[in-house]
Amino acid sequence: MDGSRELEKLAAGEALTKEEYLRLIKDRESVRDEAADLAVRTRQRYYGNKVFIRGLIEFTNICKNNCYYCGIRAGNTAAERYRLMPEEILSCAGKGYELGFRTFVLQGGEDPYYTDEILLSVVRSLKETYPDCALTLSVGERSRESYRLLKEAGADRYLLRHETVNAKHYAALHPADMHYGNRMACLKTLKELGYQTGAGFMVGSPGQTDEDLADEMLFLRELKPEMVGIGPFIPHKDTPFAKEQAGSAELTVFLLSLIRLTLPDVLLPATTALGTADPMGREKGILSGANVLMPNLSPAGVREKYLLYDNKICTGDEAAACIACLKARIAKTGCEIVTDRGDHARHI
Ligand code: SAH
């Protein structure tokens, strides 16, 4: 029994049980190529050979949280902290616009400086200056009211990885003041408010089991997020998880295929963490069903400070050089980078 039957069921749009997902995950060696082929064909049905690019602006590495895995956790006194001011964020987006970007992703730690008032004014300015662009926020857990105001101010999308679907596992990755229930409630709120919402998890984070991964697939099928961000866990030397084993790029790529087959029209990035774990990771992700890349637009001077994990790629490159490099890499996969907003099929 090698998982082929499960794969065919999944590709035909049938719902798999947890046991079936588990069999696929355990037997991935034998079905990996077939899964990638089916996933690419599925992606082509909805998006052709298009790969969407999102300009990532890492605007602050100041964070009040203490996630055990994350290099910018509050407790990491070795991290050199920075915060871009609103006008710096605007100028960063301006450079991205000139390079062709039509989606900006503002990502950062949970930095108390960025109150609703300040963040709202950034969102408004960005949407006024670039009305043809989509704006994605990825700034962690906030109140329902805050999410509502940000949506009203023009934010279109929100990325908030749930990190793990297993509440006990969540508690092993985070300190006691962070709650699984709150994270999940935030995701539901974002969906209710009409954001194109991105959930996601780390692959191979300490304590994660194959059963957890099967549960991730069931959870995503139920939540139906517009976007799913996954990447391998990579240890950071100044965190409690410094000595833990890294997650595997190969498993991440296989899960990208399963996610594509489970949510055929999802927007699915081949992440920087995947490109860090394997030099060809992003290409492999695209060849396994991913259709989004998120190159960095942060100013060169701060890039090497937004280190969630060790050995992060592209921290020295200028945005323009990054784009040229990605275009060449992606052309080799038979796909093509496009610059439109690339909304989720449900939102066009
Ligand atoms: N503060 C925001 C943004 C977090 S950074 C928020 O809470 O959503 C974006 C993602 O990077 C996280 O959701 C996490 O999944 C990932 N990440 C953090 N540390 C990592 C590590 N050591 N290895 C791999 N991915 C990591």
Side-chain angles (χ1 to χ4, degrees), residues 161-197:
R161 292 187 180 177
H162 55 285
E163 313 297 358
T164 171
V165 70
N166 174 335
K168 278 207 186 108
H169 186 217
Y170 189 92
L173 299 178
H174 301 93
D177 63 344
M178 293 185 70
H179 303 288
Y180 172 84
N182 194 46
R183 194 91 183 161
M184 291 300 193
C186 284
L187 268 180
K188 298 238 159 61
T189 302
L190 291 164
K191 287 216 85 182
E192 281 166 19
L193 291 171
Y195 282 96
Q196 295 178 49
T197 304

Side-chain angles (χ1 to χ4, degrees), residues 216-281:
E216 292 293 357
M217 299 301 126
L218 298 185
F219 172 72
L220 290 174
R221 184 175 74 204
E222 166 116 11
L223 182 72
K224 293 188 184 57
E226 282 79 9
M227 308 169 285
V228 175
I230 68 166
F233 159 74
I234 304 173
H236 184 291
K237 62 180 176 9
D238 301 313
T239 62
F241 286 170
K243 300 275 178 271
E244 298 289 341
Q245 217 192 326
S248 109
E250 163 263 318
L251 176 55
T252 304
V253 161
F254 179 68
L255 293 170
L256 286 172
S257 295
L258 292 192
I259 294 168
R260 168 63 61 204
L261 292 170
T262 302
L263 300 170
D265 57 3
V266 77
L267 290 160
L268 193 60
T271 56
T272 306
L274 180 57
T276 299
D278 176 338
M280 294 297 282

Side-chain angles (χ1 to χ4, degrees), residues 69-70 107-108 140 160-161 163 183 202 232-234 308-309:
Y69 45 85
C70 184
Q107 187 178 84
L160 186 78
R161 292 187 180 177
E163 313 297 358
R183 194 91 183 161
M202 283 178 291
F233 159 74
I234 304 173
L308 309 178
Y309 43 80

Side-chain angles (χ1 to χ4, degrees), residues 42-190:
T42 301
R43 180 195 66 207
Q44 279 168 337
R45 276 215 310 277
Y46 289 88
Y47 297 103
N49 283 331
K50 290 184 187 173
V51 170
F52 302 104
I53 50 170
R54 323 299 198 191
L56 184 63
I57 303 176
E58 298 158 337
F59 70 100
T60 173
N61 75 350
I62 296 171
C63 192
K64 66 178 171 59
N65 292 332
N66 244 324
C67 309
Y68 299 145
Y69 45 85
C70 184
I72 65 168
R73 64 199 302 272
N76 179 10
T77 50
E80 224 186 292
R81 303 289 170 172
Y82 74 91
R83 168 188 294 140
L84 298 186
M85 286 295 116
E87 57 278 12
E88 294 176 287
I89 298 176
L90 261 294
S91 107
C92 209
K95 292 195 182 112
Y97 192 90
E98 281 165 33
L99 289 169
F101 287 93
R102 294 298 177 266
T103 294
F104 300 112
V105 182
L106 297 190
Q107 187 178 84
E110 293 195 17
D111 178 352
Y113 173 84
Y114 276 96
T115 56
D116 284 349
E117 196 190 341
I118 299 178
L119 199 52
L120 283 168
S121 82
V122 173
V123 169
R124 283 195 200 103
S125 315
L126 277 170
K127 291 297 286 194
E128 269 163 32
T129 319
Y130 307 106
D132 53 336
C133 292
L135 181 59
T136 306
L137 296 176
S138 178
V139 288
E141 298 173 25
R142 301 176 79 95
S143 68
R144 184 185 186 95
E145 182 62 2
S146 173
Y147 287 149
R148 193 185 67 73
L149 291 168
L150 290 164
K151 182 82 182 50
E152 207 176 75
D156 305 281
R157 308 176 185 155
Y158 205 104
L159 301 177
L160 186 78
R161 292 187 180 177
H162 55 285
E163 313 297 358
T164 171
V165 70
N166 174 335
K168 278 207 186 108
H169 186 217
Y170 189 92
L173 299 178
H174 301 93
D177 63 344
M178 293 185 70
H179 303 288
Y180 172 84
N182 194 46
R183 194 91 183 161
M184 291 300 193
C186 284
L187 268 180
K188 298 238 159 61
T189 302
L190 291 164

